[in-house]
Amino acid sequence: PWGLADTSFAVSPGANTPTALQSLTVDHPSLTANNQDTQTATLVITGTNHALVDDVMFIVNRSPTAAGAANQRGFFHWQRSSGFREEGATVYYGNDKVTLQTANSTATDDVTAGTLTLQFRWTADPSYGTVPDNDVSVWFKESSTGHVVRWQTVQTNFAVGP
């Protein structure tokens, strides 16, 4: 009996799966820094406890060092209890170069699919400058369980310019 493998084992779709980043995409490969054209980033979080995710942070061109802070172009935050907002010090995170469209950003739970989908919508101000390669980093947690998905950077590679 010790040498036999049970090949009938399978993970059922209803199994407890950890909350994770399924995908992050942007709508446009380029964006004009005119405070009018809108970029949309769609973030899909999946897992058994997707509905417990209540805190999501999102940074364009995140830098883990103070020296790289000049390249950051927006720190956005979503909380289930309060919705979307720009976060942190305006200049340090580049929020002076973007405008988050809080009224047009959306959060949708899909119980059937087991997903939480967030759409962050923003414009780039003319002061954004010419940045040919912009990437997005996300962090999220389930406060009630303590489960945290630490910063993950997604190579979205969208360009911004005049």
Side-chain angles (χ1 to χ4, degrees):
W2 295 106
L4 299 177
D6 181 0
T7 59
S8 64
F9 176 78
V11 177
S12 69
N16 189 14
T17 56
T19 306
L21 176 63
Q22 177 177 311
S23 64
L24 192 155
T25 58
V26 293
D27 282 0
H28 305 291
S30 63
L31 180 67
T32 303
N34 60 7
N35 209 14
Q36 294 177 4
D37 294 350
T38 301
Q39 179 64 285
T40 300
T42 301
L43 166 67
V44 180
I45 297 170
T46 188
T48 305
N49 292 335
H50 74 280
L52 297 179
V53 172
D54 59 352
D55 196 356
V56 178
M57 292 186 279
F58 176 104
I59 299 179
V60 178
N61 297 334
R62 178 182 175 267
S63 175
T65 67
N71 297 322
Q72 296 182 141
R73 294 294 191 266
F75 181 2
F76 308 142
H77 198 170
W78 173 81
Q79 289 182 305
R80 195 172 288 276
S81 63
S82 57
F84 293 87
R85 69 177 184 270
E86 290 184 13
E87 188 65 66
T90 301
V91 175
Y92 183 81
Y93 290 109
N95 288 349
D96 57 330
K97 298 175 179 13
V98 296
T99 302
L100 178 64
Q101 297 178 339
T102 55
N104 296 323
S105 296
T106 61
T108 307
D109 277 310
D110 185 332
V111 176
T112 304
T115 60
L116 168 63
T117 301
L118 299 172
Q119 289 191 311
F120 291 86
R121 292 185 170 93
W122 73 96
T123 59
D125 299 341
S127 64
Y128 197 103
T130 299
V131 183
D133 182 7
N134 294 268
D135 299 315
V136 175
S137 300
V138 296
W139 175 102
F140 55 92
K141 73 177 180 179
E142 303 166 7
S143 294
S144 64
T145 66
H147 177 69
V148 173
V149 174
R150 304 212 180 273
W151 289 108
Q152 295 181 21
T153 299
V154 177
Q155 300 298 316
T156 51
N157 303 320
F158 68 93
V160 177

